[in-house]
Amino acid sequence: MLDVKDLVVCFRSKEGIHEVVHGISFSMEDGEILGLVGESGSGKTQTVLAIAGLSPINAVIGGTITLNGQELSLLSRHEMRTVQGRDISMVFQEPMTSLNPTMRIGRQVEEALRIHTKLSPEERKAKALQTLADVELPNPEAVYNKYPHELSGGQRQRVMIAAAIICDPKLLIADEPTTALDVTIQAQILKLLKKLNKTMHMSILFISHDLGIIRRLCDNVMVLKSGDIVERGSVDQIFNNPTEEYTKRLIAAIPSRKRGITTDEHRSYYEYFGFLEYDDSDDELEGPF
Amino acid sequence: MSYAKHNWYMIFGAVITFVMVLLIVVGYFWTPYSPTAICAAERFDGPSFAHLFGTDNLGRDIFSRVLDGAGTTLFISVSTVLIGLITGILIGGLTGYFGGWIDEVVMRMNDSLTAFPSMLLALVIIGILGPGTYNVIIALGIMFIPSFARMVRSEFVRCKNLDYVKSARLMRAGPLRIIFLHILPNTRSTLLSAVAIGFNNAVLAEAGLSYLGIGVMPPQASLGRMLSESQSYLFSAPWYSISTGFTIILLILGFTLLGEGIRQQAGVD
């Protein structure tokens, strides 16, 4: 479905050209959830921005990105709008800044429909309410007329997801969508993403530096380090039999109870996600995925 | 959401501005005497029930002239601010959103305009166009563009990298749609307080130009022109300058408080 070949991202600056992504290649299947892991500055975000066509102005992109057989860099402006704008959508990290504070929720969720479809206002509203219900927001009618500041962080992130999926995108890019949320809400949002992935057959490219979340949510994992793919494989393979030294160190860097790094926050967190030293007797906390 | 109990700046500012604007609107339709009616027998009458603020050197009713003159002054300042604001939004919005060389070129032109002392710039423009109400508006409007453009630009630079703008770009919304629908409404608190401060500067600038005798032309009344006339009779007819000066003060005070109130309201958000 998505095929990335030799993707290079460079930045022009006064000192010269600085390459941050060094020709990475990977592909995604329909309905796959691919986790993208890496430390800060490893090129995760630049990779997905290039796929979404949102790279900063001073960036130079090389290589080919193919979505459903169409190469994105060859598209005309108009095709770009229908393909890249409708088939790829994105959920951002910070729910506080990812919604426009001066626009009602309904308006924002409908924005993609306004741009990409010719639906009448009534149809748009019906579709928006349906989508708000799909992301499990209670009382969509009320939410529809609210402003972002009237909603909690978790609700906003759900609205963000609703706005992202309203046009039935083929690929949803989630750039650390749960980092800014507290643990309980994180679990709910992850559950929701998993559900949407199943029901809408939407591929998800999930960026995180939290290996616990990646392990729970994703089918496959790709480890990125300073612009190169270090390792790629299924979740089981990467977490149980990492071949590269870097991946092993990443996994070892996760705080765990056994190693004694147990602030209360970490404990509750890793109990919740059942990471590594998770005790299976506590089934109540186990998510459905 | 405001958690402050009362925003007194806002309340006082709104009350003063409302009363002033109300008086000006009334003055537009009705004044006790004609603002230009000369009555030689009643020169330099002190304040009385017949003439609330007294009369001036030509026996004209000062209260009527203040109402009329404040209207002229307000008309000039509103038009001036609108010119500055609209042009500023267009220039600042486009340069701030697109950036690149267009930003550099336009903003350097903007800087060179700012390099002139603003009053001098207005003098030059009036020198070219000649005095008169509309030319004052044009001169002051041009004088106001750079500051508005700069402010709008900085707000756009701040907003264009926020996630909601990114997601609008990802949906391939057109640039005009993003500029006016997604970004502009979010600059409103900064813009509103800038507008309130802009009004003050416009009132003062108009008063300044008329005081220099190159603004509004007689017999039309304006607060600045009246103040400049009144200084010749500062001791023989102090009510003339006091009533005119206080009107200017109240007009400016109202807008200043309102601007501060809006700023605080936005700060609490």
Side-chain angles (χ1 to χ4, degrees):
Chain A
M1 188 210 71
L2 176 76
D3 203 22
V4 177
K5 271 218 170 64
D6 303 321
L7 178 72
V8 178
V9 180
C10 305
F11 284 99
R12 271 176 302 187
S13 70
K14 278 172 191 149
E15 289 85 50
I17 290 177
H18 183 59
E19 198 174 290
V20 292
V21 177
H22 313 296
I24 64 172
S25 305
F26 65 94
S27 57
M28 281 178 75
E29 301 301 318
D30 267 326
E32 178 184 346
I33 306 186
L34 175 64
L36 200 51
V37 203
E39 57 194 88
S40 314
S42 58
K44 298 177 296 214
T45 304
Q46 289 310 325
T47 304
V48 295
L49 286 182
I51 295 171
L54 286 179
S55 296
I57 320 178
N58 58 341
V60 185
I61 315 289
T64 56
I65 301 166
T66 319
L67 183 72
N68 288 326
Q70 281 176 297
E71 197 187 320
L72 296 183
S73 55
L74 297 180
L75 296 176
S76 68
R77 199 172 253 274
H78 178 73
E79 291 168 321
M80 195 89 145
R81 198 165 171 158
T82 51
V83 176
Q84 214 166 23
R86 200 189 54 214
D87 291 346
I88 302 180
S89 64
M90 197 158 171
V91 177
F92 294 93
Q93 177 175 358
E94 186 54 70
M96 298 297 164
T97 59
S98 52
L99 290 172
N100 188 336
T102 53
M103 243 189 231
R104 288 183 194 278
I105 299 298
R107 219 31 253 260
Q108 302 198 42
V109 174
E110 286 174 15
E111 185 70 6
L113 291 178
R114 272 169 206 272
I115 296 171
H116 297 299
T117 68
K118 291 195 172 72
L119 296 178
S120 69
E122 294 76 32
E123 291 169 316
R124 278 205 301 259
K125 182 169 182 183
K127 176 89 174 144
L129 289 175
Q130 178 56 45
T131 313
L132 287 173
D134 286 345
V135 296
E136 293 162 4
L137 274 165
N139 207 350
E141 295 272 351
V143 173
Y144 186 88
N145 285 318
K146 282 187 172 169
Y147 282 101
H149 72 261
E150 299 173 85
L151 302 179
S152 69
Q155 285 174 311
R156 284 188 227 197
Q157 203 58 300
R158 281 173 198 271
V159 169
M160 236 353 258
I161 294 173
I165 64 168
I166 195 163
C167 275
D168 297 323
K170 307 273 188 333
L171 174 66
L172 178 71
I173 299 172
D175 188 355
E176 310 205 17
T178 56
T179 310
L181 305 172
D182 70 59
V183 186
T184 340
I185 311 295
Q186 276 189 354
Q188 293 170 2
I189 295 288
L190 294 176
K191 228 179 272 183
L192 174 67
L193 284 176
K194 190 84 176 179
K195 187 193 96 178
L196 293 172
N197 164 256
K198 288 262 152 57
T199 54
M200 298 178 63
H201 304 290
M202 175 178 66
S203 311
I204 300 179
L205 183 53
F206 192 91
I207 307 181
S208 183
H209 48 234
D210 190 324
L211 289 163
I213 291 175
I214 296 272
R215 188 191 203 188
R216 285 264 130 177
L217 182 74
C218 300
D219 306 319
N220 293 306
V221 190
M222 199 161 77
V223 182
L224 230 59
K225 187 200 175 194
S226 45
D228 287 308
I229 297 177
V230 176
E231 195 169 1
R232 173 173 186 178
S234 70
V235 165
D236 271 346
Q237 189 191 327
I238 296 279
F239 280 88
N240 298 331
N241 294 306
T243 52
E244 296 292 323
E245 190 54 35
Y246 180 70
T247 317
K248 288 179 191 161
R249 284 195 358 242
L250 263 190
I251 293 171
I254 299 165
S256 83
R257 263 191 289 181
K258 274 195 181 153
R259 279 191 295 275
I261 313 168
T262 53
T263 63
D264 279 356
E265 198 183 344
H266 274 131
R267 184 162 57 239
S268 62
Y269 187 96
Y270 284 97
E271 271 174 5
Y272 208 96
F273 285 102
F275 192 73
L276 292 182
E277 277 76 33
Y278 176 65
D279 179 3
D280 268 334
S281 60
D282 203 356
D283 275 336
E284 207 185 322
L285 292 171
E286 181 83 25
F289 48 84
Chain B
M1 237 178 297
S2 165
Y3 296 101
K5 248 185 177 172
H6 293 291
N7 188 340
W8 289 114
Y9 287 109
M10 191 83 128
I11 294 169
F12 278 119
V15 167
I16 295 175
T17 307
F18 178 74
V19 170
M20 293 306 289
V21 171
L22 193 70
L23 282 174
I24 288 168
V25 170
V26 168
Y28 186 75
F29 293 105
W30 174 84
T31 46
Y33 301 84
S34 162
T36 50
I38 296 172
C39 179
E42 294 173 348
R43 296 178 69 219
F44 296 123
D45 277 357
S48 63
F49 284 113
H51 298 286
L52 222 49
F53 290 170
T55 59
D56 68 1
N57 54 331
L58 299 174
R60 296 175 293 195
D61 178 48
I62 293 179
F63 183 62
S64 307
R65 282 184 70 75
V66 163
L67 289 184
D68 193 44
T72 311
T73 300
L74 191 75
F75 171 66
I76 291 177
S77 8
V78 169
S79 322
T80 303
V81 168
L82 279 182
I83 291 177
L85 182 68
I86 292 170
T87 325
I89 285 177
L90 287 177
I91 295 178
L94 293 173
T95 56
Y97 181 70
F98 289 110
W101 64 269
I102 193 169
D103 179 34
E104 286 294 328
V105 171
V106 176
M107 288 323 280
R108 291 304 79 79
M109 280 165 62
N110 208 28
D111 285 346
S112 57
L113 208 55
T114 327
F116 287 100
S118 49
M119 214 45 164
L120 196 66
L121 186 68
L123 281 175
V124 169
I125 298 169
I126 289 181
I128 296 168
L129 298 173
T133 310
Y134 294 100
N135 293 341
V136 168
I137 292 175
I138 293 172
L140 294 181
I142 293 175
M143 192 175 114
F144 274 40
I145 291 172
S147 62
F148 276 112
R150 179 164 299 280
M151 188 151 31
V152 174
R153 179 184 171 274
S154 70
E155 282 292 289
F156 268 67
V157 168
R158 178 179 68 82
C159 288
K160 78 171 174 185
N161 288 320
L162 294 179
D163 289 342
Y164 58 83
V165 178
K166 273 192 202 154
S167 71
R169 273 170 53 208
L170 178 60
M171 291 173 200
R172 304 282 150 192
L176 289 181
R177 188 179 180 87
I178 295 181
I179 289 176
F180 291 107
L181 227 86
H182 291 271
I183 303 184
L184 191 58
N186 289 297
T187 62
R188 72 194 194 290
S189 63
T190 317
L191 278 187
L192 276 175
S193 57
V195 162
I197 294 166
F199 269 122
N200 290 343
N201 294 337
V203 169
L204 285 176
E206 185 279 322
L209 285 181
S210 299
Y211 181 85
L212 293 174
I214 55 168
V216 175
M217 285 288 108
Q220 197 181 6
S222 94
L223 295 176
R225 163 130 240 122
M226 291 168 69
L227 200 61
S228 111
E229 280 168 6
S230 73
Q231 69 171 347
S232 316
Y233 318 107
L234 200 56
F235 292 103
S236 54
W239 54 86
Y240 193 2
S241 44
I242 289 174
S243 56
T244 315
F246 261 102
T247 314
I248 295 181
I249 290 175
L250 280 178
L251 212 53
I252 289 179
L253 194 66
F255 285 132
T256 311
L257 292 178
L258 205 56
E260 179 64 19
I262 291 170
R263 208 184 56 74
Q264 288 201 348
Q265 195 89 16
V268 175
D269 269 355

